[in-house]
Amino acid sequence: MTTALLLTVTGALCAPPATASPAGDQDTAFVRKGHQVGLAEIAAGRDAARNAATPCVKAVGAALVRDHTRLDAGLSALARELGVTLPGPAAPAPAREPEDVRGPARTTAYDTAWLADRAEAQTEALALIDAQIARGDNARAVAAARVARPVVTMHLDMVRGGTCHGVRGATTSAAGSGADLAAASGNDRFVLGAAALAAGAVLAGAGLWLLSSRRRHDGGR
């Protein structure tokens, strides 16, 4: 039984990993649009740092800048790997708030409009991510969408309903894993999984050997 387990592990380690599907139209559209969304969120976060009246909105803005900077780094690396040309930032939408709220008074009118804009933007970003998860062809592009989803969900929770709920959770670590996973190769993930399988088989074999030795010892008494 131990020999069979070890042979199975050896075969898994030597077998070539599955070839990743090439990037299709859905994958290309996701990478390009996701890049633009990330740039827009970074710009919005920086704008809040300059113009928001409340510490809560400023903190959420800082989280958007931090998290989307890391997510976009992974997405940009993926674009280079797939040969996808990234567009520049999308043209900003007209500001909802009157221009005078950006003056020294720093009224809460800016914060209200900013939160409503961000709630709408996060909802649209989640729809983009879910479409990629459901219909994407390329495994790495789908993996990048899966990792981005909880980060964007946390961002939506911060501004849900156009109300500032504050920064919740370790969003930077989640975004960092998104960049790492988008850049990780399929071979690396295969080797890690196979190594874990091998370790399990070795432990199982050791346990069976000890059990067999104990039985022979007891039978010889």
Side-chain angles (χ1 to χ4, degrees), residues 26-182:
Q26 167 65 39
D27 306 303
T28 300
F30 166 73
V31 172
R32 289 171 61 86
K33 182 62 177 176
H35 173 66
Q36 286 190 310
V37 168
L39 294 181
E41 293 305 298
I42 292 169
R46 289 173 177 167
D47 196 65
R50 293 189 298 268
N51 298 290
T54 59
C56 183
V57 171
K58 287 181 180 290
V60 172
L64 294 184
V65 172
R66 183 174 59 238
D67 295 348
H68 279 284
T69 296
R70 292 193 176 190
L71 284 175
D72 190 62
L75 205 59
S76 297
L78 179 61
R80 290 190 296 272
E81 180 182 330
L82 299 179
V84 175
T85 302
L86 295 177
R96 293 184 182 181
E97 70 278 10
E99 192 65 28
D100 60 357
V101 304
R102 295 176 179 267
R106 298 281 176 89
T107 67
T108 57
Y110 172 89
D111 295 41
T112 300
W114 188 89
L115 289 165
D117 283 341
R118 299 281 53 79
E120 181 179 343
Q122 304 308 316
T123 301
E124 293 174 354
L126 280 177
L128 176 71
I129 289 169
D130 287 341
Q132 173 61 20
I133 292 173
R135 299 192 293 273
D137 294 317
N138 182 269
R140 298 194 196 180
V142 172
R146 290 188 184 279
V147 175
R149 196 182 197 286
V151 181
V152 176
T153 299
M154 283 190 289
H155 292 168
L156 178 57
D157 288 341
M158 295 175 193
V159 297
R160 193 178 295 277
T163 301
C164 190
H165 301 285
V167 177
R168 300 180 179 183
T171 58
T172 52
S173 61
S177 65
D180 294 340
L181 182 56

